[in-house]
Amino acid sequence: MTEMVYGSVPVRDGEPILPKWWRTVDKWSMSCILILFGIGLLLGLAASPPLAAKNGFEPFHYVQRQAFFGGLALTAMLITSMLSQIIVRRLAVVGFVAAFIALILLPFFGTDFGKGATRWYSLGFASVQPSEFLKPGFIVVAAWMMAASQDIGGPPGRLWSFILAVTIVLILAMQPDFGQAALILFGWGVMYFVAGAPMTLLLAIAGLVVVGGMVAYNNSEHFARRIDGFLSTDVDPTTQLGYASNAIREGGFFGVGVGEGEVKWSLPDAHTDFIIAVAAEEYGLILVLCIIAVYTSIIVRSLLRLMRERDPFIRLAGTGLACMFAVQAMINMGVAVRLLPAKGMTLPFVSYGGSSLIAGGIAVGMLLAFTRTRPQGEIGDLLRGRK
């Protein structure tokens, strides 16, 4: 009877945290994250020396930093995945408020590091990008609002989450950071769809996005330049897109060989935004397909687990985190193969970047916490009228 009501996972009162966590966490997804991080270090060994030489550092300076930040990210992931969903929600709210305030103060205290967009705080020994930490916090906060709106007499959480999303998108667009703005809007849209939004409303929002893109194109030189470069039939071989496209063609199926690639000497962002070009050139299509397969495994397993979840907050938050993780990877690889305009977005757990790695570790830790096996019935029981 207990299993019929609460599911097949028994309740063990007083069970220590670590054994309980190990028994309930999705070990396959966690292993896939470790594989991605290992691939990132492998590619960093190829991409780091040219950049380090240009900046006067030791050959593997950036690999060492990536290993350090990656260690922090994996630690954050493991600790966050051990927390209960209530504690995760509370910490996410605090983190979101802090990141939102930091985002507002960027125009006054931030820097652009010569890239034309004020997105970072310089700490001297490192830099912090608030938008990276804002994303997972926003997803959890928006999911909480939407879930609360489903309660009888609950607040208008969907409206509040929409206002919050639009506010963040406008702030990001002013930096400008249209890539992160698109991720925020996409994450909100996915959760809103899962929460039962009417299709007509989603289509109306999509129309507003198109109008917003046209306004940005006409008023932002930064945005217009990237769109024009994407739409142009001719690719300048001396641009980052030109170097990346040529590297992918040269790599072919098996690659040119470990350490034999040339694109890392030409691309200033070979270790970050265009790391997939280094992978394609030196290791070929085989490694690229393996990377795609690893990302796909994480997303599919997470969504399958969330489909059985009865708690609307966990279902919404987990879906938003999983889809945002997937789309960020898709955007990064899509830019490298010229399927999308350049957006300056890292490949999760593979690209170099302290803020991206640590924020990604927190986000995946939240996802692992939400997809842990809990004593509950199947979501189908609700559809059949069972409690």
Side-chain angles (χ1 to χ4, degrees):
M1 175 64 74
T2 301
E3 290 186 1
M4 290 176 61
V5 178
Y6 295 103
S8 59
V9 179
V11 179
R12 303 181 185 181
D13 294 332
E15 185 179 8
I17 294 177
L18 285 177
K20 181 179 180 181
W21 167 78
W22 183 251
R23 180 171 55 84
T24 58
V25 74
D26 185 359
K27 303 176 189 64
W28 180 263
S29 293
M30 190 165 56
S31 300
C32 288
I33 293 296
L34 296 177
I35 291 173
L36 288 175
F37 180 61
I39 292 174
L41 290 178
L42 176 67
L43 297 177
L45 290 172
S48 174
L51 184 65
K54 292 178 183 178
N55 295 330
F57 296 124
E58 294 294 325
F60 298 109
H61 169 78
Y62 291 102
V63 179
Q64 294 170 357
R65 287 175 64 85
Q66 185 172 5
F68 172 73
F69 288 123
L72 294 179
L74 295 178
T75 301
M77 179 188 75
L78 294 176
I79 293 175
T80 306
S81 68
M82 296 179 187
L83 304 177
S84 68
Q85 58 98 357
I86 296 178
I87 296 178
V88 169
R89 185 175 64 193
R90 291 173 179 172
L91 293 177
V93 171
V94 174
F96 169 76
V97 172
F100 185 72
I101 293 174
L103 191 70
I104 294 175
L105 296 178
L106 263 180
F108 307 100
F109 303 103
T111 181
D112 62 356
F113 289 110
K115 296 187 177 183
T118 306
R119 303 175 184 174
W120 300 271
Y121 286 104
S122 177
L123 305 179
F125 61 92
S127 60
V128 177
Q129 187 175 355
S131 61
E132 291 286 356
F133 297 92
L134 183 78
K135 290 184 297 186
F138 166 76
I139 290 295
V140 174
V141 170
W144 187 21
M145 292 178 177
M146 292 184 188
S149 68
Q150 297 180 12
D151 296 335
I152 298 177
R158 295 182 183 181
L159 177 61
W160 291 354
S161 67
F162 176 70
I163 294 174
L164 186 61
V166 171
T167 302
I168 294 172
V169 166
L170 291 176
I171 295 174
L172 289 172
M174 291 172 61
Q175 291 183 359
D177 191 349
F178 297 104
Q180 300 289 11
L183 272 183
I184 290 289
L185 198 57
F186 173 82
W188 177 85
V190 167
M191 291 189 296
Y192 202 37
F193 175 77
V194 174
M199 187 61 67
T200 52
L201 180 59
L202 292 177
L203 291 175
I205 294 174
L208 290 176
V209 171
V210 173
V211 173
M214 295 174 63
V215 172
Y217 180 84
N218 293 322
N219 293 277
S220 172
E221 182 182 351
H222 174 81
F223 185 80
R225 184 170 60 252
R226 292 195 168 186
I227 296 298
D228 290 340
F230 171 70
L231 296 177
S232 175
T233 56
D234 298 323
V235 180
D236 186 349
T238 62
T239 62
Q240 295 206 90
L241 283 175
Y243 287 127
S245 300
N246 182 66
I248 293 172
R249 284 194 301 269
E250 291 293 327
F253 196 78
F254 296 104
V256 299
V258 180
E260 299 297 324
E262 297 293 332
V263 70
K264 58 195 177 187
W265 296 98
S266 306
L267 276 174
D269 293 329
H271 62 314
T272 54
D273 301 349
F274 291 92
I275 191 71
I276 200 68
V278 177
E281 184 181 31
E282 297 200 358
Y283 298 91
L285 181 63
I286 292 179
L287 181 60
V288 175
L289 292 177
C290 289
I291 293 173
I292 294 174
V294 173
Y295 280 115
T296 303
S297 298
I298 297 171
I299 304 309
V300 171
R301 284 189 62 87
S302 298
L303 293 178
L304 287 176
R305 282 178 167 241
L306 290 166
M307 286 175 63
R308 299 192 297 267
E309 179 59 54
R310 296 180 65 167
D311 188 323
F313 163 70
I314 295 177
R315 191 165 62 250
L316 291 172
T319 301
L321 290 169
C323 291
M324 183 176 287
F325 182 78
V327 170
Q328 181 168 340
M330 289 174 58
I331 290 176
N332 177 277
M333 291 184 280
V335 168
V337 298
R338 209 163 173 258
L339 289 176
L340 294 170
K343 291 186 178 296
M345 197 169 292
T346 58
L347 189 60
F349 287 97
V350 177
S351 296
Y352 170 85
S355 295
S356 175
L357 279 170
I358 296 175
I362 295 173
V364 174
M366 291 178 176
L367 180 60
L368 290 172
F370 291 144
T371 56
R372 282 171 58 184
T373 306
R374 277 177 294 277
Q376 62 176 354
E378 298 290 332
I379 185 66
D381 294 343
L382 293 178
L383 301 178
R384 291 189 291 267
R386 299 177 184 176
K387 302 295 184 179

